[in-house]
């Protein structure tokens, strides 16, 4: 008996694998700033204004018409950008990503803070337009390459593994204007060229790569996710098709350049519940989740699901393909599944139900769940459910590369930030993750808290929607000193990592 108890204790101590990758995550355009420095070109994120989630003011993309007039349209839900429009920045608009939290000049300080928390990995993105400013330049920009060399070296100095996203909503404007974004097949070759450059350059520094961040966002944010100016279903379907091919080519290329490099897909995780036991609600759940599984099926299995083909047929969508495409998709399936998870959603066939927002989606209010200040439902069990579903379906290792809580942190009179709500959120999600590992046998490579150092919100463009364990003095009106300050969650996460998840 004693023996069994001891054994159980031992097992629980080993709940997270020895080499588990604890860390934090960011995206280039949301943290770097320096938007024109050292030869960087413009990307889609650079022409998106700030919004305001509390007052429901949407972010807008700004453009100039051929007659010189200025125009703008909402990014979510997106309205069409008129023909002839040239996306550009205007002096009388505020673009929060231009300065962001100035990681471009603070990276040493920020990585030192990550090291102090004990990070084993740091998920970040390379901004394509630092490497190829217009997307189709004949030669890469050496200054841009040097910047990421310095960032990776700084990480490695502390034993932090960079986990690198190749595309986090950063389509070069050059490709948007020349081709209309990812709807054009030419983007695949340009992306492949960019991948070749960075794979070759960083093969000895980066082992884990991620192709397209939240690739399923083509559904909700076609401009953001694919640099699209047109939002009809045909354009979105074709753009996704090109991203799938580009992802498959990137996987093959990485394996050819360095067989030990691992390339994952990345999806905005969706778990949906039906409001009632009405089978009509169950059908809605199926539809909502399918929207996500479609993107996973193609990247994990290399084939389009039958239901998608039927849907395209019904809606008159016709994918333009080339000979050999099927083989490319089949041969370029991913090594692991990376995903973001913030909340579950709830659906109902009753049109009179009250809704709330979520990560790039809306949901019926779920009476069993609390919400964040931005209305996102807090549901740690949903994370465990999602992990199990991915594992059951694909039998691939998983990597949680985004999870966290956006909140309005208020420094006290001494400047300290007591973010116990964030600690509570993270603790519950880490527990759910632990259960998925120990009780369900899910294979999880790592966990990176989103926006571990405060950054600009992608959805609203706000600074006050803070996710970090490190506070950055940068405000919504652009003021601030960029001073970094450790929140209570900083010290808490430090203990979590030090104990490999034992001390929560
Ligand atoms: C994901 C994105 O959608 O969620 C991130 O990959 C984003 O870029 C994060 O920041 C949180 O969303 P938001 O809208 O709160 O910034």
């Amino acid at each position: 008996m004693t023996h069994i108890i001891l054994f159980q204790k031992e097992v629980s101590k080993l709940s997270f694998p020895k080499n588990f990758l604890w860390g934090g995550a960011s995206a280039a355009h949301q943290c770097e700033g320096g938007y024109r420095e050292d030869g960087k070109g413009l990307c889609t994120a650079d022409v998106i204004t700030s919004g305001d989630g509390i007052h429901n003011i949407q972010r807008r993309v700004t453009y100039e018409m051929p007659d010189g007039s200025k125009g703008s349209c909402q990014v979510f839900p997106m309205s069409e950008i008129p023909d002839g429009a040239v996306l550009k920045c205007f002096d009388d608009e505020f673009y929060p990503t231009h300065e962001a939290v100035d990681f471009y000049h603070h990276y040493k300080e920020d990585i030192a803070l990550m090291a102090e928390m004990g990070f084993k990995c740091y998920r970040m993105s390379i901004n394509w337009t630092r490497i190829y400013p217009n997307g189709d330049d004949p030669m890469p920009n050496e200054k841009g390459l040097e910047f990421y060399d310095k960032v990776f070296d700084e990480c490695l100095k502390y034993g932090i593994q960079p986990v690198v996203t190749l595309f986090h909503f950063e389509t070069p404007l050059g490709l948007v204007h020349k081709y209309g974004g990812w709807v054009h097949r030419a983007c695949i070759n340009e992306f492949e060229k960019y991948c070749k450059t960075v794979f070759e350059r960083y093969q000895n520094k980066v082992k884990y790569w991620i192709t397209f961040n939240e690739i399923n966002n083509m559904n909700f944010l076609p401009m953001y996710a694919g640099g699209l100016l047109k939002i009809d279903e045909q354009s979105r379907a074709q753009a996704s098709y090109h991203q799938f091919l580009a992802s498959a080519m990137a996987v093959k290329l990485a394996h050819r350049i360095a067989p030990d490099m691992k390339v994952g897909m990345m999806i905005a995780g969706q778990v949906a519940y039906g409001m009632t036991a009405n089978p009509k609600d169950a059908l809605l759940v199926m539809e909502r989740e399918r929207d996500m599984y479609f993107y996973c099926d193609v990247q994990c299995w290399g084939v389009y699901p039958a239901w998608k083909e039927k849907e395209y047929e019904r809606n008159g969508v016709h994918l333009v393909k080339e000979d050999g495409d099927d083989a490319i998709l089949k041969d370029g399936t991913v090594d692991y599944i990376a995903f973001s998870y913030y909340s579950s959603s709830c659906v109902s066939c009753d049109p009179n139900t009250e809704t709330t927002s979520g990560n790039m989606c809306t949901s019926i209010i779920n009476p069993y769940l609390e919400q964040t200040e931005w209305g996102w439902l807090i549901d740690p069990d949903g994370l465990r459910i999602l992990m199990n579903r991915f594992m059951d379906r694909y039998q691939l290792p998983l990597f949680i590369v985004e999870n966290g809580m956006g909140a309005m942190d208020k420094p006290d009179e001494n400047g300290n930030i007591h973010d116990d709500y964030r600690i509570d959120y993270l603790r519950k999600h880490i527990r759910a993750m632990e259960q998925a590992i120990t009780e369900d046998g899910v294979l999880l490579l790592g966990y990176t808290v989103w926006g571990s150092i405060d950054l600009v919100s992608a959805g609203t463009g706000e600074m006050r929607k803070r996710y970090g364990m490190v506070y950055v003095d940068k405000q919504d009106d652009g003021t601030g000193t960029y001073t970094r300050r450790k929140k209570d969650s900083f010290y808490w996460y430090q203990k979590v990592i030090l104990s490999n998840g034992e001390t929560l």
Side-chain angles (χ1 to χ4, degrees), residues 298-334:
V298 182
Q299 293 175 96
C300 296
W301 292 335
V303 285
Y304 269 55
W307 67 267
K308 194 54 152 179
E309 312 254 4
K310 288 281 172 203
E311 182 185 291
Y312 282 168
E313 225 173 275
R314 266 195 320 274
N315 298 346
V317 170
H318 175 72
L319 292 183
V320 181
K321 301 182 177 182
E322 285 186 6
D323 288 349
D325 282 1
D326 290 353
I328 293 172
L329 290 182
K330 258 283 184 229
D331 291 351
T333 56
V334 292

Side-chain angles (χ1 to χ4, degrees), residues 453-474:
I453 294 180
D454 287 348
L455 40 64
V456 175
S457 156
T460 67
E462 291 167 302
M463 266 312 303
R464 67 176 159 177
K465 190 180 189 189
R466 294 174 184 276
Y467 285 88
M469 294 171 286
V470 172
Y471 182 90
V472 180
D473 176 25
K474 184 74 199 289

Side-chain angles (χ1 to χ4, degrees), residues 35-36 40-44 46-47 89 98 129 133 171-174:
Y35 89 114
R36 294 311 312 242
K40 182 188 163 299
L42 289 178
C43 68
T44 43
D46 294 321
V47 290
C89 307
H98 288 188
T129 55
T171 309
L173 281 196

Side-chain angles (χ1 to χ4, degrees), residues 406-466:
M408 262 184 267
D409 298 329
K410 302 245 170 21
D412 68 12
E413 59 285 2
N414 302 315
N416 297 320
I417 296 115
H418 306 296
D419 56 343
D420 42 311
Y421 37 87
R422 181 170 295 109
I423 294 173
D424 189 55
Y425 177 100
L426 295 174
R427 178 187 288 127
K428 286 178 177 153
H429 284 79
I430 293 175
R431 266 199 196 121
M433 181 167 109
E434 184 185 16
Q435 284 174 322
I437 297 173
T438 56
E439 293 177 34
D440 309 327
V442 167
L443 199 58
L444 186 65
L445 298 170
Y447 173 78
T448 59
V449 174
W450 175 250
S452 41
I453 294 180
D454 287 348
L455 40 64
V456 175
S457 156
T460 67
E462 291 167 302
M463 266 312 303
R464 67 176 159 177
K465 190 180 189 189
R466 294 174 184 276

Side-chain angles (χ1 to χ4, degrees), residues 26-27 29-30 123 168-169 213-214 217 221 224 266 268 340 342 358-360 374 376 402 406 450 455-462 465 467:
S26 70
H29 73 276
Q30 291 174 260
R123 180 202 170 205
H168 197 126
F169 308 147
N213 180 67
E214 293 189 340
N217 261 319
L221 297 167
Y224 228 125
M266 198 301 197
S340 61
Y342 294 92
N359 182 24
M360 319 291 178
W374 275 262
W376 294 20
E402 284 188 35
W450 175 250
L455 40 64
V456 175
S457 156
T460 67
E462 291 167 302
K465 190 180 189 189
Y467 285 88

Side-chain angles (χ1 to χ4, degrees), residues 159-171:
I160 299 173
Q161 274 209 54
V163 175
V164 177
T165 315
L166 291 154
F167 178 95
H168 197 126
F169 308 147
E170 289 138 359
T171 309

